[in-house]
Amino acid sequence: MPKIHPGATLTPHFRDFLRSGSPGSRGTRVRGNPRSGRSGSSGSRIRLGVGIETHLVTDGSVVYQAPMTYRRAPLAESVPVSAAADSLIAVAEHSVLGTRWIYDGTADPVWAAELIRLTETETTATRSSRTGAGQAHAHGRRLTTDEFTVSTAAIEVIRVLAPGRPPSAEPGLAGVVMGTWPPKGSEGAVESGLLAVVRTTAGRGT
């Protein structure tokens, strides 16, 4: 079982490189200065697996989704060198684990496999256990009886979050990941909406 390291620090901190324009050049960037707090750059995180998280970041008016993976070595296997370089968010020092390469999760096969598993098994991923994290979770919902894998499905991440209901079943739509988050860093009522859509490759563009 993975070991949790209470009190461990990361340098630079998430709030620092998120404010510099991340989460990655391949999707919607976080503009302005994301606000620290319950839904800020140091706030809500949904833990999908070991070294796989989604940060929910706000600039004070909009909530953005920033999927991230943390690796002990640069991303290389099964990923073109140019794509790996484009998706690198930061290189940071973990006070216990050492150097970590932090990537936009959408470019990492490990993140894709975990999101597919979440959808296929209709699993719930909960918020990070870090003290002070706001309420947030993600839940996979399967919309087909057909089998699908990383190689037969495409994932669309919703970068700018908005409350709403899941889409209706349609040809090629394998499943969705729905989420719940505190809007604009609020400690009050939470919002629910779409985090990601999983489509079978055959259904893309139909």
Side-chain angles (χ1 to χ4, degrees):
M1 178 178 293
K3 184 178 180 180
I4 303 298
H5 302 280
T9 59
L10 193 70
T11 307
H13 193 274
F14 291 109
R15 70 173 70 91
D16 297 323
F17 51 75
L18 282 172
R19 283 175 177 167
S20 69
S22 295
S25 59
R26 290 153 47 92
T28 301
R29 293 178 179 272
V30 175
R31 298 176 174 82
N33 289 320
R35 177 184 299 168
S36 297
R38 298 293 178 178
S39 188
S41 57
S42 61
S44 298
R45 306 180 199 174
I46 301 171
R47 190 171 186 269
L48 302 183
V50 179
I52 310 171
E53 288 185 340
T54 283
H55 286 237
L56 303 181
V57 186
T58 180
D59 62 4
S61 60
V62 177
V63 179
Y64 301 88
Q65 178 181 190
M68 295 185 189
T69 57
Y70 320 116
R71 288 179 166 263
R72 60 184 177 183
L75 180 60
E77 295 182 3
S78 304
V79 177
V81 174
S82 59
D86 288 345
S87 63
L88 181 65
I89 294 173
V91 178
E93 291 296 322
H94 189 281
S95 60
V96 177
L97 301 176
T99 305
R100 286 296 181 265
W101 280 257
I102 302 176
Y103 288 93
D104 180 342
T106 60
D108 193 326
V110 172
W111 173 87
E114 189 60 25
L115 198 89
I116 292 293
R117 186 195 67 79
L118 193 76
T119 306
E120 189 176 33
T121 60
E122 298 194 320
T123 303
T124 296
T126 59
R127 71 178 186 178
S128 166
S129 60
R130 186 178 58 82
T131 301
Q135 300 180 57
H137 78 270
H139 180 75
R141 183 175 299 180
R142 187 180 182 127
L143 298 177
T144 180
T145 57
D146 297 335
E147 295 298 317
F148 54 95
T149 64
V150 171
S151 61
T152 62
I155 302 169
E156 175 192 352
V157 172
I158 310 302
R159 295 282 189 173
V160 179
L161 301 185
R165 298 176 62 82
S168 302
E170 60 183 56
L173 185 59
V176 296
V177 177
M178 300 297 294
T180 298
W181 62 88
K184 305 176 187 178
S186 170
E187 296 184 13
V190 297
E191 294 180 341
S192 297
L194 189 62
L195 296 181
V197 176
V198 179
R199 299 182 187 278
T200 56
T201 305
R204 296 181 66 184
T206 59

